[in-house]
Amino acid sequence: MINIRQLWQELTPLYDAGEAKAIIRTILEVRFGLTLADILCDKVSEFSAEERQSLEEIIQRLKKGEPVQYILERADFCGHTFKVAPGVLIPRPETAELCELIIQQKTRGNILDIGTGSGCIAITLALALKENAQVTAWDLSEKALHIAEDNARKLHANVNFICQDALQPPPGHDLWNCIVSNPPYVTEKERADMEKNVLDYEPNMALFVSDDDPLRFYRSIARYAKTALQPGGILYFEINPLYEDTMKSLIYKEGFRHPVIHEDLFGKPRMLEAHL
């Protein structure tokens, strides 16, 4: 017979007790339909043989470090549930803060999200800003675009998805009122400090940049934005806190004025806002 304590304790070699409990609760609620009351009453002990086998398979995947979001094929972000799978980055709370910043500014007009992944930024903005914004999203990965399109369809968001390399953007003049991007920004030297479930399962191309040119995506996007943004347009980035000062210098060099760094909930410099 299995019980809740046994389940979360199996995960403590990888996660602390609080996170292990939260993961087990999510699995039981989403995959098996248990309520919090059911979980507290240890209804898992009443599972059928088939349910126990399914749960054991999930536990084994978790013990190998596979993110619970990939196992459940879903992640919650800004009040919406997004489909995720290997090949797209799992949306982070810091990226949700970037979306909230843009929404609070009551951004209007044509918005471009570069490197959309699951579509979480583009779709969130389209749903929040509604008829005041027309949202387009780029990604180089066909798999990511397929997932993003599926998310947009299920969430009834009007987003135009395009397969496009951020490092080789097309010529553009006065196209956008706002460009936003959460590009790869983790350097190779930071790998040693990252969790196994991120390194082994999430897409490297969405996470990592080389140590010798960590700002290559920012530079390319900023240069494109210099001509593609309309006068008075705004550029938003999620950034690596290690490169706060270097990012400011890059933005000034590329012709933007008054770059503002916004801190995330942990007090780290995480978002950059710059105006033409």
Side-chain angles (χ1 to χ4, degrees):
M1 183 179 294
I2 54 175
N3 61 53
I4 297 295
R5 177 178 290 274
Q6 290 172 332
L7 291 173
W8 66 259
Q9 285 182 337
E10 286 198 61
L11 303 183
T12 51
L14 279 179
Y15 303 98
D16 63 42
E19 190 170 4
K21 290 176 183 178
I23 290 172
I24 293 300
R25 175 180 171 180
T26 299
I27 290 289
L28 294 176
E29 288 179 340
V30 174
R31 182 58 60 87
F32 296 95
L34 268 61
T35 65
L36 178 57
D38 291 334
I39 295 170
L40 293 175
C41 292
D42 218 12
K43 289 288 186 180
V44 69
S45 62
E46 301 174 11
F47 272 10
S48 66
E50 183 179 351
E51 288 171 324
R52 288 197 300 271
Q53 181 179 350
S54 178
L55 180 57
E56 178 58 28
E57 290 172 356
I58 291 172
I59 294 297
Q60 292 306 314
R61 292 171 68 181
L62 289 168
K63 289 169 68 174
K64 292 177 181 178
E66 186 172 353
V68 64
Q69 293 91 342
Y70 287 160
I71 293 173
L72 295 177
E73 298 185 337
R74 53 174 280 170
D76 294 329
F77 183 85
C78 288
H80 306 290
T81 298
F82 287 82
K83 177 182 177 180
V84 293
V88 300
L89 201 65
I90 297 169
R92 267 45 175 198
E94 296 87 348
T95 307
E97 293 182 59
L98 176 63
C99 290
E100 290 299 326
L101 175 64
I102 298 171
I103 293 167
Q104 288 169 9
Q105 301 277 16
K106 294 182 171 58
T107 304
R108 305 171 70 92
N110 295 317
I111 298 174
L112 174 64
D113 171 30
I114 298 180
T116 197
S118 65
C120 61
I121 293 177
I123 292 169
T124 297
L125 296 180
L127 292 174
L129 300 172
K130 297 182 171 62
E131 68 276 1
N132 292 320
Q134 297 75 49
V135 182
T136 298
W138 292 354
D139 205 287
L140 182 59
S141 166
E142 293 281 3
K143 181 175 183 179
L145 288 172
H146 178 75
I147 291 173
E149 289 170 346
D150 192 29
N151 281 324
R153 183 167 53 254
K154 289 178 179 177
L155 292 169
H156 307 290
N158 185 15
V159 178
N160 180 32
F161 293 100
I162 297 174
C163 186
Q164 176 62 54
D165 187 351
L167 295 176
Q168 296 180 320
H173 296 276
D174 299 337
L175 297 174
W176 315 103
N177 299 95
C178 170
I179 294 177
V180 56
S181 184
N182 174 25
Y185 63 64
V186 181
T187 57
E188 292 291 337
K189 63 187 177 185
E190 295 177 83
R191 278 182 179 268
D193 299 322
M194 298 186 69
E195 299 293 338
K196 176 181 172 63
N197 59 349
V198 175
L199 293 174
D200 290 352
Y201 290 94
E202 297 201 57
N204 282 353
M205 68 176 293
L207 285 168
F208 293 104
V209 287
S210 64
D211 293 340
D212 59 354
D213 192 10
L215 304 184
R216 64 194 301 245
F217 285 96
Y218 296 102
R219 187 181 307 107
S220 176
I221 293 168
R223 287 178 179 173
Y224 171 74
K226 182 64 172 66
T227 59
L229 279 171
Q230 297 182 16
I234 309 176
L235 175 63
Y236 292 96
F237 281 128
E238 182 174 326
I239 68 169
N240 187 330
L242 296 176
Y243 295 97
E244 174 186 4
D245 293 335
T246 315
M247 277 297 306
K248 286 182 180 179
S249 298
L250 182 151
I251 291 298
Y252 273 124
K253 182 178 179 181
E254 297 302 332
F256 289 82
R257 55 187 173 86
H258 308 308
V260 177
I261 300 291
H262 300 270
E263 294 183 345
D264 62 22
L265 289 175
F266 301 101
K268 293 183 178 182
R270 184 68 64 178
M271 296 155 280
L272 184 145
E273 173 186 348
H275 297 246
L276 272 183

